[in-house]
Amino acid sequence: MDTTSTRAHDDIRPAPRALATEAVHAGRDDLARQGLHAPPIDLSTTYPSYDSRGEAARIDAFATTGAEPDGPPVYGRLGNPTVARFETALARLEGTEAAVAFASGMAALSAVLLVRGSVGLRHVVAVRPLYGCSDHLLTAGLLGSEVTWTDPAGVADALRPDTGLVLVESPANPTLAEVDLRALAHACGSVPLLVDNTFATPVLQRPAEHGARLILHSATKYLGGHGDVLAGVVACDEEFAGRLRQVRFATGGVLHPLAGYLLLRGLSTLPVRVRAASATAAELVRRLAADPRVARVHYPRTGGAMVAFEVYGDPHEVIGAVRLITPAVSLGSVDSLIQHPASISHRIVDADDRRGAGVSDRLLRMSVGLEDVEDLWSDLDRSLGRPGRGAGNCATSHAEPAPAH
C-alpha cells in the first residue's frame, strides 16, 4: 500500500459524479493503480522515519495550521490512511472540502465546541429538540459553553458578539421536526451553522448546499449501518478541519482504523439502504396514521427511515411486547429498533424542557430497517395491543419548515 500520505488520493480529482457512484468509489479511487481492489486496513500506531529534522518540520506545520502532514504518516493520533479514506469519501458525499472523523458523535461535537471556545466564542445558540446527550453537553456547560435555546425564528435575535456556533438537528431527534436550513443559515450571518445530519444522511439532505458550514454525523448510525461501529464525523471546509485535527490530536478522540474501514464499507451501500428503509417507513407511517391505537405519527417531509409515534396506551407495554423489532437505543442499522425517548435517549434532558420540545411521555421512536414491511407491521400490530379510547383521533404530523427571513 502507498503510505506516502494520510490523504487517501491527493492527486485524483474525479469529475462530478452521482451520489450512488460517489458512495461506491469515493475514497477508493487510487486502489486500482496500487493493484488493490478492497481498501487495506493500516493498523499501525506509529511509523518509522530516519529524517528527524524533516519530521520536526512537518510537526511544526501541523501545529500551525492543522493541515494533514505531507509525506508518510507520522503517528496514529496525527492521522491514519484508512481513516483518511473514510473522511475523503464522506466529504465527497456531503459536498464539503474536508471531513474529520472522531471516536464518537459526542467526541465530534465536543471538538467543535472546543475549537470555538479556544478563540473566546463560547456562546451557542441551539434549537430543540436535539439528541439528548448533545442537549446535556450544552446545558451542563461541561466544556465551558453557554447556551441560549430558541426556536428557528428567534436565532438572529439570540446572537451575541461571543456566539461561536448555531446548532440545529433536522430532522430532529426524536420528534423528526424540520427547519428551513437555508433561512436559518441566512439568520446566522457570519456565525457558523452546525447541522446534525445523522437522521437524513447526505442521501436525503446536504446541508452545505443550504449554507451550513459544519455538518455533524453520529457515524455509528446510518453511515456505518450495521450496528457494529462507534464513530462521529464533521464535514466542513479545510480551514475548520485543520482546527478540528489539532483538537483531535490534543485530546486523543481518534477513530480506530478498523472503524474507519467499516465506515468506508458502509458508505458503499448507504444510498441503497436509506432508500429501501425509507420506502418501508413510509408504508408503516400510512398504517400507523390510520390505526385507532395511535394518537399521532411524526414523519418528516424529507422522508427517511425514522418514524415517531405517540400511543394512547402504555408505551412501555409496546416496548416490552416487540419480538422482531429490537427494543434498543441507536438507529440506522439494517435491523429495526424501537425505544422510548423519555426513558432512554432523552432521559438526561430536564423533563419540562423535554416535553416543551415535543418529546411526550407517550412518544416512541422507531428506526426502520431492511426487514419485509409485512413482518414489521405484524410485530407492531401485535405489540400495540387491542384498540382502546381515542379511536379515530390519529393524525400524521409533518414539521413545517421555518419561514424564510
Side-chain angles (χ1 to χ4, degrees):
M1 174 186 174
D2 180 3
T3 58
T4 57
S5 172
T6 58
R7 279 166 279 194
H9 40 84
D10 310 43
D11 57 335
I12 298 175
R13 293 291 183 268
R17 303 182 293 202
L19 183 92
T21 303
E22 286 285 26
V24 173
H25 290 279
R28 305 169 179 83
D29 291 292
D30 64 327
L31 294 180
R33 64 182 173 85
Q34 295 190 54
L36 300 172
H37 183 241
I41 307 174
D42 188 331
L43 295 173
S44 298
T45 58
T46 191
Y47 300 85
S49 173
Y50 294 95
D51 181 8
S52 56
R53 291 186 182 88
E55 205 83 321
R58 293 201 296 148
I59 291 173
D60 286 346
F62 176 83
T64 301
T65 66
E68 295 175 292
D70 291 325
V74 179
Y75 182 60
R77 200 149 38 87
L78 271 167
N80 172 273
T82 306
V83 172
R85 290 183 180 278
F86 163 66
E87 293 171 330
T88 296
L90 193 276
R92 293 274 179 82
L93 293 181
E94 284 289 6
T96 59
E97 293 178 346
V100 183
F102 294 85
S104 70
M106 291 309 300
L109 177 57
S110 296
V112 172
L113 295 174
L114 288 171
V115 166
R116 301 306 281 160
S118 69
V119 292
L121 301 175
R122 299 184 180 278
H123 179 241
V124 177
V125 175
V127 177
R128 278 189 173 121
L130 295 174
Y131 168 53
C133 287
S134 299
D135 188 311
H136 175 68
L137 180 65
L138 294 174
T139 302
L142 295 174
L143 297 179
S145 57
E146 177 187 348
V147 61
T148 296
W149 296 100
T150 184
D151 58 28
V155 165
D157 291 337
L159 299 177
R160 306 187 326 204
D162 63 337
T163 302
L165 190 70
V166 174
L167 175 58
V168 66
E169 185 173 6
S170 181
N173 187 353
T175 65
L176 305 174
E178 297 172 282
V179 300
D180 184 333
L181 295 181
R182 190 175 299 279
L184 192 61
H186 178 74
C188 291
S190 61
V191 176
L193 171 63
L194 184 153
V195 176
D196 187 329
N197 202 34
T198 299
F199 277 21
T201 80
V203 177
L204 302 177
Q205 173 177 272
R206 289 156 57 102
E209 295 177 351
H210 301 286
R213 185 178 175 190
L214 307 169
I215 299 96
L216 173 70
H217 285 272
S218 172
T220 307
K221 313 305 194 294
Y222 287 104
L223 302 189
H226 293 75
D228 55 7
V229 60
L230 196 68
V233 64
V234 179
C236 55
D237 56 58
E238 176 56 36
E239 178 184 1
F240 204 95
R243 300 299 309 277
L244 288 172
R245 294 186 196 106
Q246 290 175 323
V247 168
R248 182 177 64 181
F249 174 74
T251 61
V254 296
L255 184 67
H256 192 274
L258 180 57
Y261 171 84
L262 291 173
L263 288 168
L264 184 63
R265 187 175 69 170
L267 288 185
S268 64
T269 60
L270 178 66
V272 176
R273 287 186 286 105
V274 169
R275 288 166 182 154
S278 297
T280 300
E283 174 58 20
L284 292 177
V285 165
R286 186 187 68 79
R287 299 186 189 190
L288 287 167
D291 196 295
R293 298 164 295 182
V294 177
R296 192 176 187 87
V297 181
H298 303 266
Y299 190 64
R301 297 184 186 278
T302 306
M306 297 301 300
V307 178
F309 57 98
E310 299 169 50
V311 295
Y312 285 113
D314 186 345
H316 300 285
E317 291 184 1
V318 178
I319 293 291
V322 292
R323 293 295 177 266
L324 176 65
I325 302 165
T326 303
V329 295
S330 200
L331 56 108
S333 184
V334 291
D335 60 318
S336 297
L337 309 175
I338 193 169
Q339 63 110 350
H340 182 238
S343 295
I344 305 181
S345 65
H346 288 70
R347 188 67 179 178
I348 201 168
V349 180
D350 177 81
D352 290 337
D353 291 335
R354 186 172 66 231
R355 295 184 187 112
V359 186
S360 78
D361 291 342
R362 293 188 180 275
L363 183 75
L364 293 168
R365 189 196 75 187
M366 182 176 174
S367 169
V368 179
L370 300 181
E371 301 94 339
D372 185 86
V373 66
E374 297 301 335
D375 291 328
L376 290 174
W377 178 248
S378 177
D379 198 30
L380 278 175
D381 183 36
R382 182 184 49 77
S383 301
L384 286 168
R386 298 176 63 182
R389 291 190 305 166
N393 294 328
C394 50
T396 303
S397 170
H398 293 277
E400 293 293 339
H405 290 198

